[in-house]
Amino acid sequence: MAEAASIVFSDVSSGEALKQQWVLVIQRFHQEYGDAVVRSWIHPLSFCSLSAGVVLLSAPTPFLRDWVVNNYLHRLTAIWRSINPAVQSIVINAMKVFVPTQTFQKKTEESAEVLSSGWDRSDLDPKLTFENFIVGKPNELAYAAARRVADVATVALNPLFLYGGVGLGKTHLMHAIAWVIRKTQSRRAIYMSAEKFMYQFVRAVRFKDTMAFKEQFRSVDVLMIDDIQFICGKDSTQEEFFHTFNALVENNRQIIVSADKSPSDLEGMEERMRSRLGWGLVADIHPTTYELRLSILQLKAQQTPVFIHQKVLEFLAHKITSNVRELEGALNRVVANAQLVGREITIDSAQDVLKDLLRANDRRVTIEEIQRRVADHYSIRLADIHSTRRSNHIARPRQIAMYLAKMLTTASFPEIGRKFGGRDHTTVIHAVKRIDALIGSDPLLSEDVRLLKRMLG
């Protein structure tokens, strides 16, 4: 990414180039820290100038400036240096050193007016809609619940609590709900990260405008808080959220919350708050399956300007198993590389571009996994791999599985034979020699073995 940036900017000191660099910095920062942090703390910053190696940014408030300086300034500086070596440091000034009570009251009222007709567009990602959400077994309950809450104007499931690991689609579903309400209904709603909720609460306390804050959050029809785990251990913010939660529920208003853990597993969250979060529907988003990952990649591939062969998508779906965000990031890197260097997208080129990511996803291969992969690849039953059937469409995949077991594991010939229905070790030796010979004479079989090795190795 840094190399690409240095190619793009022929004049790294021009105002336009510097603004583009700031956009790149935000994009790189977003990849590392995610939507919630960027929306709450980075987007409010504005680029001002670069002079003598010092970048000047402005923040809307001293509190936001101090938070960024204490938590994210070092990383922002490192990212910008990688894009433009002329940058030595970053200084952030606050635009306002004092905000009178009336000003904050006015800002809060203006914000409420915007929210009463939907959302401020800047809060929502236009790509994160139900139409762009791929449904599979790991997320079907969460998706169905999110659709129900979005489509029904009355309170359906209260609260709706979505939870799952990083990059599995919680924020996507939150944005999708928000877009439906914004476009089709007149319900007043607020969507924000828990981090931003805390920031606004602390700001209200500081400027003695807690009544305006309470009015803003307790008068809405729908309150959506993303990444609620952020307020774990923050007693004052939890206290305020607790009372806000109770006020909304008592008035039959919808609450939607997301987190990385179930309510009962949120360490640092008060017991009374954990209890309330579990009142309604708690929907888990499980880790992705191969089929779901492949469906996601196929949809993304349709939206890219370059052709991506199905075998490349299958390779990525097999190898990148951590989360959807990393999977999409891997595809974006492959596409960007193809566009920048004009290289055809193949399994080899994808493996070269993603070698660091693939290393991180590497794990020890088992004979059982090899058998499953081979059975799936040749559309036969796993039981056929262990059976005594000798028809060629069964025997050849079985031999390939034995060959891969010997190549990719430390198991001995007798151990492999036992895993294949109790076969003698000589049968395994024969299979390995047979496949080894066919690899040199049968291009189709050679390609199959090559692909399976990459998927497994």
Side-chain angles (χ1 to χ4, degrees):
M1 191 70 179
E3 291 81 357
S6 62
I7 293 171
V8 171
F9 303 115
S10 57
D11 179 7
V12 295
S13 63
S14 71
E16 190 59 34
L18 291 167
K19 289 178 182 177
Q20 291 179 39
Q21 288 174 29
W22 175 229
V23 172
L24 279 178
V25 170
I26 294 175
Q27 290 173 351
R28 288 268 298 278
F29 190 88
H30 180 275
Q31 291 172 2
E32 297 181 23
Y33 289 86
D35 293 331
V37 171
V38 171
R39 284 197 309 271
S40 299
W41 306 108
I42 307 303
H43 277 165
L45 301 176
S46 300
F47 171 77
C48 297
S49 64
L50 169 62
S51 178
V54 178
V55 170
L56 178 63
L57 302 177
S58 66
T61 67
F63 177 84
L64 190 141
R65 174 201 59 198
D66 294 342
W67 185 274
V68 173
V69 168
N70 292 330
N71 293 277
Y72 307 121
L73 187 62
H74 177 75
R75 189 62 194 137
L76 287 172
T77 304
I79 292 173
W80 207 321
R81 276 183 189 166
S82 71
I83 294 172
N84 181 358
V87 171
Q88 299 301 311
S89 62
I90 297 176
V91 172
I92 304 177
N93 288 338
M95 291 165 50
K96 300 174 182 177
V97 295
F98 175 71
V99 180
T101 299
Q102 288 183 338
T103 302
F104 181 74
Q105 174 76 28
K106 184 172 183 294
K107 287 280 186 184
T108 303
E109 291 171 353
E110 289 171 353
S111 177
E113 289 172 4
V114 172
L115 293 162
S116 67
S117 59
W119 272 268
D120 182 347
R121 286 181 182 272
S122 64
D123 286 336
L124 300 178
D125 188 331
K127 299 188 292 296
L128 302 183
T129 63
F130 283 121
E131 291 72 24
N132 290 334
F133 189 85
I134 302 298
V135 184
K137 276 198 169 297
N139 58 31
E140 59 186 359
L141 174 61
Y143 172 83
R147 281 244 68 135
R148 174 83 182 278
V149 169
D151 292 338
V152 179
T154 56
V155 175
L157 308 163
N158 209 21
L160 172 59
F161 189 100
L162 305 173
Y163 80 95
V166 174
L168 296 182
K170 303 184 299 294
T171 296
H172 191 143
L173 287 176
M174 297 281 278
H175 281 235
I177 295 170
W179 278 118
V180 170
I181 295 174
R182 184 183 187 280
K183 290 177 178 178
T184 65
Q185 302 169 16
S186 59
R187 285 190 287 176
R188 294 168 300 161
I190 289 179
Y191 165 83
M192 64 174 54
S193 67
E195 192 173 21
K196 195 168 185 178
F197 178 87
M198 185 205 73
Y199 159 65
Q200 291 204 10
F201 173 63
V202 171
R203 186 183 180 200
V205 171
R206 180 181 179 186
F207 295 113
K208 299 180 175 57
D209 275 304
T210 53
M211 291 307 298
F213 176 89
K214 294 177 190 293
E215 175 63 24
Q216 179 185 4
F217 284 94
R218 299 181 191 184
S219 63
V220 296
D221 300 306
V222 183
L223 176 62
M224 306 178 67
I225 302 294
D226 209 354
D227 292 318
I228 197 67
Q229 72 274 2
F230 182 82
I231 67 171
C232 287
K234 299 174 174 64
D235 295 342
S236 297
T237 305
Q238 278 191 51
E239 180 78 16
E240 180 57 35
F241 183 71
F242 174 80
H243 293 302
T244 297
F245 184 101
N246 286 343
L248 291 172
V249 170
E250 286 171 6
N251 288 288
N252 202 32
R253 308 291 174 82
Q254 180 71 60
I255 301 171
I256 307 165
V257 176
S258 80
D260 61 351
K261 300 181 182 69
S262 69
S264 60
D265 292 330
L266 288 173
E267 296 181 7
M269 186 72 75
E270 293 180 9
E271 178 58 37
R272 59 179 183 171
M273 195 65 253
R274 288 205 302 266
S275 173
R276 279 159 175 75
L277 291 172
W279 274 355
L281 176 64
V282 177
D284 183 7
I285 303 179
H286 299 281
T288 58
T289 60
Y290 165 74
E291 292 76 16
L292 180 57
R293 292 194 298 273
L294 183 58
S295 296
I296 291 169
L297 287 172
Q298 288 169 336
L299 175 65
K300 297 297 178 183
Q302 293 172 8
Q303 300 167 354
T304 63
V306 296
F307 173 73
I308 307 173
H309 198 281
Q310 176 72 8
K311 285 189 178 295
V312 176
L313 300 180
E314 292 173 357
F315 170 70
L316 294 178
H318 274 299
K319 297 294 288 183
I320 312 297
T321 60
S322 50
N323 61 64
V324 175
R325 190 176 299 156
E326 194 167 83
L327 186 69
E328 293 178 349
L331 183 65
N332 291 339
R333 283 172 62 178
V334 170
V335 171
N337 178 72
Q339 291 177 307
L340 288 170
V341 303
R343 185 180 179 186
E344 181 186 359
I345 298 178
T346 64
I347 292 177
D348 285 333
S349 67
Q351 193 169 33
D352 185 45
V353 171
L354 302 173
K355 52 190 172 187
D356 60 324
L357 194 56
L358 295 176
R359 263 198 312 271
N361 280 269
D362 275 346
R363 62 205 190 295
R364 189 171 181 179
V365 181
T366 65
I367 293 176
E368 291 78 9
E369 184 177 5
I370 291 171
Q371 292 170 335
R372 285 195 300 271
R373 292 282 187 241
V374 172
D376 288 343
H377 184 76
Y378 287 101
S379 300
I380 61 176
R381 297 177 306 158
L382 185 59
D384 292 330
I385 295 285
H386 300 92
S387 73
T388 58
R389 295 179 61 188
R390 296 188 176 182
S391 55
N392 195 54
H393 81 284
I394 299 294
R396 187 67 75 220
R398 184 189 298 130
Q399 288 180 325
I400 290 174
M402 291 179 179
Y403 171 84
L404 291 171
K406 187 57 184 170
M407 295 299 108
L408 302 178
T409 76
T410 58
S412 65
F413 286 121
E415 288 173 327
I416 294 172
R418 286 194 292 271
K419 293 284 189 178
F420 283 80
R423 285 176 165 77
D424 187 77
H425 73 282
T426 57
T427 303
V428 182
I429 293 172
H430 171 74
V432 171
K433 288 181 177 178
R434 182 62 179 150
I435 298 303
D436 203 27
L438 286 173
I439 285 173
S441 60
D442 187 335
L444 290 178
L445 182 142
S446 176
E447 177 61 24
D448 281 349
V449 172
R450 192 173 166 212
L451 177 61
L452 284 164
K453 272 186 178 180
R454 284 198 170 93
M455 289 177 176
L456 290 160

